[in-house]
Amino acid sequence: MKPQSMGQAVLIGLALIYLASLYFMSSPVWMGFTINALIVAVVALAWNITGGFGGMASFGHAAMYGTGAYASAILQVQYGINPWIAFGAGIVAGAAMGAFIGALAFRYGLKGSYFALVTLAFAEVLRICASSFAITGGGSGLQLRLEPGLSTLQFNDRSVVYTILLVIVALVMALTAWLKYSRFGAYLIAVRENEDAARALGIDTYRIKVKAMAISGAFAGLAGVLYLQVWLFIDSAVVYGSAISIEALIGPIIGGAGTVWGPLIGTLGLHLLGEGAKHLLHNAPGLNFVLYAVVLICALRFLPQGLMGLAARIGTFRKKEDDNA
Amino acid sequence: MLEVRNLSKSFGGLKAVSDASLDVPEGGIVGLLGPNGAGKTTCFTMIAGFTRPNEGTVRFMGQDVTGLPPHRICALGMIRTFQIVQPFAGLTVQENIAVGAYLHHHDRTEAMAVARQVGKRLGMGAMLDRPASSLTIAGRKRLELARALATGAKLLLLDEVMAGLIPSEVSEIVGIIRQIRDEGHTFLMIEHVMQAVMSLAETAYVLNHGKMIAHGTPKELVQDPAVVEAYLGHGAAARLQEGHHA
């Protein structure tokens, strides 16, 4: 988690200063905006596990995000289950959905764009299902009853919500850092770099990949539940729509896939950019996605390792031999 | 240590390997030779579990391992390397070796310590912190060996570790392989570089068109007419003989 260069330290510092400044700005608009960005950052961190470390670029993280949100909402609205238990159930449901998609896709050896397409298909199928059945509230979605309190996990005070989200993002990042430097992380990176070599070295690559999907699914499910608890309303387009799948992958790619800080920095940067453009161009709807596309193309062309990779080359702390890695 | 019996594999109508048998005694260095396309690598992939043979059995240390997945076979102590070396580019040399060491050492500190030790044994001490992508071909071949050794494997299947090396690098690797053998490991190696085979292998098998055509010491093999013909074409042995007599 430690920065490796002056550039990375500055980048991380800027993100932290922005996040801390919200406590002093007392602007509900910026607070709401950043709360949204932090929820997206959790999905981005989820995508980073499979897409960043494992090299399995999913185009359908909405499948796990939405499943987490719907599982929690159904339990609370339809069955009156305690929100804390529903919260946990949402995470488990996200993990289960991730493991299920992974088990199916990897059983048939899907990779690269084929894997991306299958995940997208899963998210779309789930979106259509969620808008068709009564238990998911059909086209009108599900609404939690407004009942602020610790027992219902609903908070009126936006700065409390914000603080909780900051803590959760920090926890997910700490888990990511721990995973990165564990045996599982090393195996996941080995699978990304060369699956055959990994198999030869005694790695059960199928199991590693499904496990990665389950962990990623748990994080995405967590993000879905957070969205539900913050905004108290979900419908199929919001939580299963492809917008969230795109945001899940674009943040890590811009920020630096396979790094601990990249997904958060990329997501914050993109959201600020999108918001700025909206103000400049008078709220033209969908314009932020046009902008994201331009940034994504530029990042893929000029920043293969994202902002963290770029920053790593500025003022390196450790003296290294001249190599072009 | 390794007994391969009547191994066969066809791809469509093509018989890549048919009825191949070989034995590798514990502590030995056994060569597997043959011209291009003879089926050597296919043989390796079947022994190491990457492809399932149509017929035949592979027994490792008395246990039938035919058709087991590679990771299970590796856990038992048999590992293959690849002809085209592929380091994990995003990792350092030490982290690369540690991926092998993680097989039996689940803790990072332990795995990294094993990796450091194995790396030093193979003369890679100075390169441990370098990104694996910065290694030369010779360095990558060493890394491939180091990774395999770090898994704690007893039997190493080497697929052309000498290919693409200059003679001085070949003699270095030959020295390293001897040293590893003396530490108690066994080798089965596919090799084209005859200098290496002649100086390393105690016995060797020759494959041609998927069939085992000869078995013996390297000295015997180079004089075997069937082997000479496999490499130089039909009638070559007779012509060479004439040349000698003239």
Side-chain angles (χ1 to χ4, degrees), chain B residues 26-71:
Chain B
E26 183 148 13
I29 300 181
V30 176
L32 180 57
L33 316 177
N36 287 329
K40 303 182 298 288
T41 298
T42 307
C43 232
F44 257 37
T45 56
M46 285 190 285
I47 295 171
F50 278 77
T51 43
R52 191 179 267 278
N54 298 127
E55 280 165 57
T57 55
V58 180
R59 295 179 71 80
F60 175 62
M61 306 222 288
Q63 193 181 342
D64 189 353
V65 298
T66 323
L68 281 188
H71 63 93

Side-chain angles (χ1 to χ4, degrees), chain A:
Chain A
M1 238 171 150
K2 270 182 291 175
Q4 284 157 10
S5 73
M6 210 49 207
Q8 288 193 349
V10 168
L11 205 56
I12 293 167
L14 281 176
L16 292 179
I17 289 169
Y18 169 74
L19 291 173
S21 71
L22 286 175
Y23 282 111
F24 308 102
M25 282 206 294
S26 66
S27 152
V29 176
W30 279 107
M31 195 61 113
F33 159 79
T34 313
I35 283 171
N36 262 339
L38 286 181
I39 293 172
V40 173
V42 175
V43 198
L45 282 160
W47 187 91
N48 192 40
I49 300 288
T50 42
F53 296 113
M56 302 165 259
S58 143
F59 213 91
H61 258 58
M64 286 92 90
Y65 177 80
T67 301
Y70 265 112
S72 176
I74 289 170
L75 287 177
Q76 289 184 62
V77 176
Q78 314 284 25
Y79 299 100
I81 305 272
N82 177 295
W84 284 82
I85 296 171
F87 191 96
I91 297 172
V92 172
M97 181 54 73
F100 173 69
I101 295 174
L104 267 183
F106 302 136
R107 173 71 66 204
Y108 295 99
L110 297 184
K111 278 181 195 158
S113 39
Y114 297 98
F115 175 69
L117 283 172
V118 163
T119 51
L120 174 65
F122 265 102
E124 283 299 288
V125 167
L126 287 168
R127 183 178 64 80
I128 293 162
C129 287
S131 63
S132 319
F133 294 109
I135 193 164
T136 52
S140 51
L142 290 172
Q143 172 108 42
L144 293 191
R145 203 144 42 87
L146 181 66
E147 262 182 301
L150 189 63
S151 63
T152 53
L153 279 169
Q154 297 174 17
F155 304 96
N156 271 338
D157 187 347
R158 282 287 162 215
S159 65
V160 173
V161 173
Y162 179 64
T163 308
I164 292 171
L165 281 172
L166 276 185
V167 170
I168 287 174
V169 168
L171 278 176
V172 172
M173 281 170 64
L175 258 171
T176 305
W178 179 75
L179 278 176
K180 183 178 178 181
Y181 295 109
S182 70
R183 177 182 193 239
F184 173 75
Y187 275 7
L188 198 53
I189 295 171
V191 167
R192 173 188 76 197
E193 297 291 336
N194 190 324
E195 196 165 337
D196 273 339
R199 288 205 307 161
L201 289 173
I203 301 175
D204 185 349
T205 55
Y206 174 74
R207 230 185 97 204
I208 290 290
K209 291 196 285 187
V210 172
K211 208 168 142 188
M213 279 296 282
I215 294 171
S216 183
F219 287 170
L222 166 69
V225 181
L226 291 173
Y227 182 89
L228 172 73
Q229 293 303 133
V230 170
W231 303 112
L232 306 180
F233 169 76
I234 55 168
D235 71 13
S236 60
V238 166
V239 295
Y240 277 134
S242 47
I244 193 73
S245 295
I246 294 168
E247 290 205 278
L249 68 94
I250 200 167
I253 290 173
I254 304 283
T259 64
V260 176
W261 285 91
L264 175 68
I265 287 172
T267 306
L268 281 180
L270 272 174
H271 275 237
L272 285 171
L273 193 72
E275 196 67 12
K278 248 198 265 176
H279 282 292
L280 279 178
L281 296 155
H282 311 292
N283 291 321
L287 190 78
N288 55 338
F289 280 113
V290 176
L291 211 76
Y292 287 1
V294 174
V295 174
L296 182 65
I297 290 166
C298 292
L300 287 174
R301 173 65 186 82
F302 299 109
L303 299 175
Q305 258 111 45
L307 288 173
M308 287 296 278
L310 174 74
R313 279 180 263 150
I314 303 168
T316 314
F317 285 152
R318 204 165 26 139
K319 195 95 183 103
K320 269 205 220 156
E321 288 165 74
D322 50 331
D323 51 56
N324 46 5

